Amino acid sequence: IWEVTSRRVLLIGSMHPDNLKHLNYDLLVLMVQDTLTLKTLINLNKIIKILLKIDTGMHRQGFDLDEIPKVLKMLSGSKLILEGVFSHLADADNPQDEFTKIQIEKFNETVTKIKREGFDPKYFHVSATYGVEKANISPFNAVRLGLGLYGFGNRNLKPALRLLSTIIKIHHIEKGERVSYNLTFTAKEKMKIGVIPLG
């Protein structure tokens, strides 16, 4: 049973552009991190709130910094609403902050360029759990807690959730027997293992 809610959902994951026409954007804010997705959304000719993901050094998702002028030009003639800008810290759990400081500097420079072009995003964030204490000044006003919801990754966080399951089966296996998809675990000795459903 799905509960109807009035809260908006931020969809950070990527999806195939062909699926974008099937979404209901009334309560959805969508991450955009590539030109194909951006063009597809523009062509839908709908009012859609987006968060722009920029790559400040992790080199996983996000627009390269030199793409930003082109992206802003595309946005300026569209119905898309730039709700926020975000990136991802690559080395936030490292006590040495050199790379994190470089990323934050690049992010801030990009935000300045975006505002200079007349955009006024509401939300700015670069931090997952480990970066909460490293990017806690303006313009940052949001975080993406993952492990932090369970109280991990930051000494000042208290768990908001806990994960419970149950053992549904116990196996006795011999030394050398292998377990699971792709046989990823090999028993180093005779042992008893439990199966926990976490689908």
Side-chain angles (χ1 to χ4, degrees):
I1 297 173
W2 291 90
E3 183 179 333
V4 178
T5 179
S6 61
R7 295 180 185 271
R8 288 185 297 153
V9 174
L10 169 59
L11 182 58
I12 294 180
S14 293
M15 69 174 62
H16 194 283
D18 288 347
N19 294 325
L20 293 170
K21 63 180 176 279
H22 302 294
L23 298 178
N24 179 344
Y25 292 100
D26 292 344
L27 296 173
L28 187 66
V29 181
L30 193 66
M31 171 195 80
V32 178
Q33 58 102 23
D34 64 272
T35 304
L36 181 56
T37 298
L38 183 59
K39 285 179 181 175
T40 303
L41 290 173
I42 289 171
N43 289 336
L44 290 177
N45 200 31
K46 294 181 179 180
I47 295 174
I48 301 170
K49 293 183 177 180
I50 66 167
L51 260 67
L52 203 62
K53 182 158 191 185
I54 58 175
D55 180 9
T56 56
M58 189 160 187
H59 301 303
R60 193 173 67 176
Q61 289 180 319
F63 287 101
D64 291 334
L65 298 181
D66 61 359
E67 293 180 281
I68 297 303
K70 176 185 172 185
V71 168
L72 296 178
K73 188 173 182 181
M74 292 170 70
L75 282 174
S76 64
S78 77
K79 289 186 176 181
L80 302 184
I81 297 170
L82 183 56
E83 182 93 336
V85 183
F86 75 111
S87 190
H88 198 106
L89 298 177
D91 199 31
D93 55 341
N94 187 341
Q96 304 302 318
D97 286 342
E98 285 82 4
F99 194 75
T100 295
K101 287 176 182 174
I102 291 169
Q103 283 191 270
I104 289 173
E105 185 176 314
K106 287 180 180 179
F107 184 86
N108 287 339
E109 288 172 2
T110 305
V111 166
T112 299
K113 290 176 186 175
I114 290 170
K115 288 183 174 182
R116 200 177 293 142
E117 291 298 319
F119 293 93
D120 189 25
K122 294 179 186 176
Y123 302 106
F124 305 93
H125 47 100
V126 294
S127 298
T129 297
Y130 282 105
V132 168
E133 294 177 335
K134 298 186 180 186
N136 58 2
I137 56 172
S138 181
F140 305 109
N141 58 9
V143 296
R144 303 177 308 274
L145 291 180
L147 288 174
L149 291 171
Y150 304 96
F152 298 112
N154 186 304
R155 66 185 181 277
N156 294 323
L157 296 177
K158 295 180 181 177
L161 299 171
R162 62 183 177 148
L163 179 64
L164 299 175
S165 189
T166 186
I167 296 174
I168 59 169
K169 182 157 179 130
I170 293 177
H171 289 281
H172 296 274
I173 60 175
E174 301 293 327
K175 179 180 179 179
E177 287 193 294
R178 301 175 79 185
V179 180
S180 197
Y181 291 115
N182 303 116
L183 308 171
T184 52
F185 175 78
T186 303
K188 295 181 179 175
E189 58 189 25
K190 185 175 181 177
M191 60 193 309
K192 180 166 67 172
I193 64 169
V195 178
I196 299 173
L198 284 173

